[in-house]
């Protein structure tokens, strides 16, 4: 599907969805998230037979702790970049904050949820999505809030002596419970239920959606997947802001390869987590 | 012996081309060599526990693993290798089994309880410091008073074993400690193992804390006792052995809490329950949504590029 072509007046056109900045930030998210999960989850599920094995692979508890901290710095980097971008977007009035193109939840999202369930059950047409679907919005805001909570509590545990110089020691108990559970929640959301499904598992993107690597997707795919945005733009005459000739050159190859590599890493990370989580439940 | 026979069988097959008589001759020879080798090895290991008075010639045999003494099955086997590798590998057996001699090893055994008592008490002869501290500890006090809550107080051998006494400065022993205390303090052990310290030591981080780094090993006292390593006065010092920059606030970190129990501080309990509910709701919704989406995708033939988008 990702390799689809559209011959509109002989030129292959694509819809440009993500800027270089957003793609760069997504790389930071992927790398740091994989790194943090790989080094954090074995500690949480220490009773699994696999925990010791994986810990050995990543340098023991000390080694894992070190990688966890390096990846945490990546994590803070993307968090602050995204916050900076959002502040700039709002302050410089780069675009509307609410409305159909926005990542901010709206009433239509609620209607879309109900519409999707009707469609699932064969009782109506598939809702016509705007630029961001409700699950994409959930993904985005959950990750942003999660990063804030998990990062904050992570820092507290990283520097426990400093934390307790102004907070009571029990705050570290809260930090551990919050960090550990939020990490598990985020891992489930990203790896299993929401994000990977959205990127790999749902029919529109199966077996993998290249858009976050290449930045753009074939026009026909776009029109089918985000019909409401397409029509809005058609009406408002803003289609030329997002439609352009397909990029050519070596970068397109590189992007495809990166997609394959990161999908493989993602598959590994999901398997790894499942082994750690499910194993102690069975044995 | 099984392995000896097995190896000989293997050799025997190779010689089937030889005349039968010669084959048997060679087989017998090999068996002889292997057997004498076995005997020589047994003698060597029996003697290597220097001056063990020859006890291992008998007690190093596995068939002593279950003998009947006064109508009850008993394990009288003492693994020679494990003994040798233990911290006491060089001690003669009689250093604890006082009175047992080579000439008449079991003249003492007229009274089994007396012999056992003697062996258990022997530790103090060489480890007087630990014994003194233990005597003054809560466990020591209990051991003189007998039983509390149906559990026996631990003596030296409950925490160290008898014939496989481990060196205490190894990672393995530091990891074992949690299980040792856990035999009698299961709840405390479970909660401890859910903290960072507990997870890290379980997964091999030697520098992390074990039960005895906080509670002490021999001079264990209830935390309400001012002399305890965890009394109000000493608590911070104990943490500071590993966290030199810690100050008073650090000590209110709770080592033994079960976040989902109502005994936990309200804020910890609330956060834990909030997250468990979130996890259940989000995973359930996500799971149903995902399954229905796949169902619809398959039904409409959307997966393999057939049907169009609707
Ligand atoms: C963003 C900054 C983060 C920081 C500063 C941080 C820091 C920490 C620290 C200090 C610990 C204690 C264990 C150790 O010292 O190695 C820890 C544990 C852990 N972290 Fe993170 N972390 C961060 C993000 C994450 C993320 C994004 C995840 C996964 C989604 C994660 C998953 C875990 C898990 C599962 C544990 C073990 C918790 C337990 O023992 O139950 N962390 N983290």
């Amino acid at each position: 599907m990702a390799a689809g072509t559209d011959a509109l007046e002989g030129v292959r056109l694509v819809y440009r969805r993500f800027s270089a900045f957003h793609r760069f930030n997504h790389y930071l998210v992927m790398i740091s998230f994989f790194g943090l999960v790989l080094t954090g989850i074995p500690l949480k599920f220490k009773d699994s037979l696999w925990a010791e094995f994986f810990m050995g692979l990543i340098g023991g508890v000390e080694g894992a702790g070190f990688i966890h901290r390096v990846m945490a710095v990546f994590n803070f980097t993307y968090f602050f970049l995204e916050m900076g971008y959002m502040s700039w977007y709002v302050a410089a009035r780069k675009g509307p904050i609410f409305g159909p193109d926005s990542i901010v939840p709206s009433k239509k999202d609620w209607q879309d949820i109900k519409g999707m369930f009707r469609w699932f059950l064969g009782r109506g047409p598939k809702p016509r999505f705007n630029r961001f679907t409700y699950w994409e919005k959930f993904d985005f805001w959950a990750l942003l809030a999660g990063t804030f909570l998990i990062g904050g509590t992570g820092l507290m545990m990283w520097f426990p002596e400093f934390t307790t110089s102004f907070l009571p020691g029990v705050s570290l108990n809260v930090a551990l419970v919050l960090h550990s559970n939020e990490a598990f929640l985020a891992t489930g959301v990203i790896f299993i239920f929401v994000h990977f499904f959205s990127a790999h598992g749902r029919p529109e993107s199966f077996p993998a959606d290249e858009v976050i690597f290449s930045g753009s997707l074939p026009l026909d795919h776009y029109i089918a997947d985000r019909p409401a945005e397409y029509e809005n733009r058609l009406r408002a005459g803003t289609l030329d802001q997002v439609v352009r000739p397909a990029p050519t050159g070596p970068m397109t190859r590189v992007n495809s390869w990166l997609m394959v590599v990161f999908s493989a890493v993602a598959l590994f990370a999901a398997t790894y987590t499942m082994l750690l989580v499910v194993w102690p439940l069975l044995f | 012996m099984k392995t000896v026979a097995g190896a000989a069988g293997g050799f025997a097959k190779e010689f089937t081309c030889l005349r039968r008589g010669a084959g048997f001759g060679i087989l017998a020879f090999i068996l002889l060599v292997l057997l004498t080798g076995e005997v020589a090895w047994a003698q060597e290991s029996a003697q290597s526990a220097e001056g063990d008075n020859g006890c291992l010639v008998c007690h190093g045999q596995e068939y002593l693993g279950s003998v009947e003494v006064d109508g009850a099955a008993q394990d009288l086997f003492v693994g020679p290798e494990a003994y040798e590798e233990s911290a006491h590998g060089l001690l003669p057996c009689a250093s604890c089994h006082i009175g047992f001699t080579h000439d008449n090893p079991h003249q003492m055994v007229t009274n089994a309880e007396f012999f056992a008592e003697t062996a258990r008490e022997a530790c103090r002869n060489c480890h007087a410091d630990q014994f003194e501290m233990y005597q003054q500890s809560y466990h020591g006090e209990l051991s003189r008073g007998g039983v509390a809550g149906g559990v026996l107080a631990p003596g030296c051998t409950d925490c160290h074993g008898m014939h496989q006494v481990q060196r205490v400065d190894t990672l393995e022993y530091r990891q074992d400690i949690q299980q040792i205390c856990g035999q009698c303090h299961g709840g405390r052990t479970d909660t401890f193992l859910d903290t960072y310290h507990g997870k890290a030591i379980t997964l091999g981080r030697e520098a992390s804390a074990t039960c005895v780094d906080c509670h002490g090993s021999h001079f264990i006292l209830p935390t309400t006792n001012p002399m305890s390593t965890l009394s109000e006065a000493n608590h911070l010092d104990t943490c500071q052995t590993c966290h030199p920059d810690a100050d008073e606030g650090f000590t209110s970190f709770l080592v033994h809490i079960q976040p989902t129990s109502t005994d936990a501080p309200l804020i910890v309990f609330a956060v834990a329950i909030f997250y468990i509910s979130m996890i259940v709701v989000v995973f359930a919704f996500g799971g149903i949504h995902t399954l229905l989406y796949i169902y619809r995708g398959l039904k409409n033939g959307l997966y393999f590029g057939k049907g169009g988008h609707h």
Side-chain angles (χ1 to χ4, degrees):
Chain A
M1 190 92 34
T5 54
D6 189 89
L8 199 77
E9 294 168 30
V11 189
R12 222 182 120 237
L13 289 178
V14 294
Y15 162 69
R16 188 171 160 79
R17 186 161 157 82
F18 295 119
S19 69
F21 167 76
H22 286 122
R23 284 183 279 146
F24 172 76
N25 238 10
H26 189 261
Y27 279 114
L28 286 184
V29 176
M30 281 189 294
I31 293 171
S32 68
F33 195 79
F34 288 145
L36 287 160
V37 167
L38 258 44
T39 52
I41 294 286
L43 209 53
K44 180 165 173 60
F45 295 95
K46 61 158 198 325
D47 293 328
S48 167
L49 179 69
W50 295 90
E52 229 173 321
F53 175 70
F54 287 142
M55 268 294 180
L57 289 187
I58 51 182
V61 181
E62 281 107 328
F66 178 75
I67 301 174
H68 204 75
R69 284 158 176 77
V70 172
M71 290 300 163
V73 174
F74 276 38
N75 206 60
F76 294 131
T77 311
Y78 82 65
F79 182 76
F80 286 115
L81 282 176
E82 188 62 35
M83 293 313 273
Y85 172 83
M86 281 165 54
S87 313
W88 170 77
Y89 183 93
V90 171
R93 309 233 189 284
K94 288 306 292 175
I97 298 169
F98 303 100
D101 268 5
S102 167
I103 191 79
V104 179
S106 67
K107 216 154 92 197
K108 181 168 185 310
D109 293 318
W110 175 237
Q111 286 156 1
D112 285 350
I113 294 177
K114 290 188 291 188
M116 276 303 265
F117 275 92
R118 274 197 293 272
W119 179 64
F120 290 155
L121 301 173
R123 304 215 174 129
K126 190 176 169 199
R128 301 169 73 76
F129 288 115
N130 267 321
R131 183 164 154 81
F132 296 112
T133 64
Y134 58 85
W135 65 81
E136 286 162 356
K137 293 182 184 183
F138 171 77
D139 234 3
F140 177 82
W141 292 107
L143 187 74
L144 209 65
T147 303
F148 177 74
L149 290 170
I150 225 170
T153 52
L155 277 178
M156 286 169 72
M157 292 193 290
W158 188 344
F159 304 105
E161 295 90 352
F162 174 72
T163 305
T164 52
S165 64
F166 58 94
L167 287 173
V170 69
S171 64
L172 290 170
N173 291 97
V174 177
L176 178 68
V177 172
L178 203 156
H179 192 87
S180 182
N181 284 293
E182 176 69 42
F184 185 49
L185 182 62
T187 306
V189 165
I190 299 283
F191 281 180
I192 302 158
F193 296 115
V194 183
H195 195 83
F196 284 9
F197 178 68
S198 160
H200 296 281
R202 68 195 181 99
E204 294 83 349
S205 39
F206 185 79
D209 191 344
E210 205 183 308
V211 65
I212 198 65
F213 298 94
S214 64
S216 41
L217 73 166
L219 203 57
D220 60 339
H221 191 172
Y222 163 62
I223 296 170
D225 211 16
R226 304 296 139 112
E229 184 192 358
Y230 175 72
E231 279 154 25
N232 287 343
R233 287 193 179 279
L234 206 59
R235 258 201 308 277
T238 56
L239 210 53
D240 56 334
Q241 288 174 4
V242 292
V243 173
R244 54 193 61 187
T248 50
M251 266 323 277
T252 53
R253 269 277 172 73
V254 173
N255 285 330
S256 303
W257 275 109
L258 283 171
M259 182 195 72
V260 173
V261 169
F262 275 93
S263 299
V265 174
L267 187 67
F268 170 75
T271 315
Y272 176 98
T273 309
M274 289 306 282
L275 278 178
L276 285 168
V277 176
V278 178
W279 202 269
L281 299 178
L282 300 179
F283 302 97
Chain B
M1 287 309 262
K2 263 191 196 127
T3 53
V4 173
F11 281 119
K13 272 196 193 118
E14 299 210 343
F15 290 114
T16 44
C17 59
L18 295 174
R19 290 222 330 267
R20 256 186 156 189
F24 274 122
I26 292 167
L27 186 64
F29 177 73
I30 291 170
L31 267 177
L32 196 71
V33 170
L34 287 174
L35 273 176
T36 46
E38 171 97 332
V39 170
W41 171 80
Q43 274 171 353
E44 196 185 302
S45 68
Q47 279 156 5
S48 62
E50 193 179 293
D52 67 0
N53 310 344
C55 315
L56 286 175
V57 168
C58 299
H59 288 285
Q61 302 297 327
E62 274 180 53
Y63 60 78
L64 278 188
S66 59
V67 282
E68 265 195 23
V69 181
D70 301 334
Q74 249 194 313
D75 181 2
L76 301 178
F77 170 62
V78 179
E81 280 155 85
Y83 183 77
E84 221 175 296
E85 280 164 16
S86 81
H88 289 147
L90 293 176
L91 290 187
C93 309
S95 46
C96 294
H97 297 289
I98 296 164
F100 282 62
T101 59
H102 184 59
D103 302 334
N104 191 353
H106 301 105
Q107 69 188 24
M108 292 285 294
V109 193
T110 48
N111 180 339
E113 199 31 57
F114 174 70
F115 118 79
E117 198 67 31
T118 314
R120 284 197 297 262
E121 305 272 290
C123 315
R124 72 178 68 163
N125 298 340
C126 303
H127 302 294
D129 290 354
Q130 285 79 8
F131 176 72
E132 274 312 311
M133 286 196 283
Y134 170 77
Q135 283 295 91
Q136 292 166 36
S137 77
Y138 198 59
H139 287 148
E141 202 177 297
L142 282 170
S143 75
R144 291 189 296 276
V147 195
V151 197
L152 274 174
C156 312
T157 50
D158 290 308
C159 296
H160 294 293
M162 15 182 205
H163 299 126
Q164 295 176 28
V165 173
Q166 298 295 307
R167 267 180 212 296
V168 298
D169 49 10
T170 62
L171 173 63
E172 287 72 29
Y173 189 71
R174 285 175 64 73
Q175 289 177 319
D176 284 348
I177 290 172
Q178 278 66 242
Q179 268 62 53
I180 293 170
C181 310
Q183 296 163 35
C184 309
H185 300 287
R188 293 283 180 175
T189 302
D190 290 347
T191 50
F192 170 66
L193 289 178
D194 273 341
T195 64
Y196 175 76
H197 290 137
K199 294 175 188 198
I201 191 76
T202 307
L203 293 175
R205 181 165 189 182
E206 197 166 355
S208 185
T210 67
C211 312
V212 298
D213 291 322
C214 290
H215 289 282
S217 48
H218 303 120
F219 193 51
I220 295 175
L221 292 169
T223 49
T224 45
N225 187 315
M227 304 256 278
S228 159
T229 49
L230 292 167
S231 69
E232 234 166 276
N234 297 334
H235 200 145
L236 183 57
D237 284 345
T238 301
C239 304
Q240 278 178 341
T241 52
C242 300
H243 300 282
D245 300 331
D247 54 26
E248 208 44 62
F250 203 62
T251 59
S252 68
F253 174 74
L254 297 165
V255 179
H256 301 288
I257 57 165
Q258 166 51 258
T260 51
S261 116
T262 43
D263 297 338
L266 186 63
I267 173 140
V268 181
F269 176 74
V271 170
I273 295 299
F274 171 76
Y275 268 102
I276 290 173
S277 326
M278 279 281 281
I279 288 171
V280 169
V281 170
V282 171
F283 285 13
F285 184 83
I288 292 169
H289 188 272
T290 299
L291 289 176
L292 285 174
Y293 209 149
I294 294 174
Y295 162 78
R296 178 52 51 197
L298 290 172
K299 189 127 196 211
N300 288 13
L302 299 178
Y303 268 103
F304 303 102
K306 278 184 223 154
H309 298 280
H310 304 284

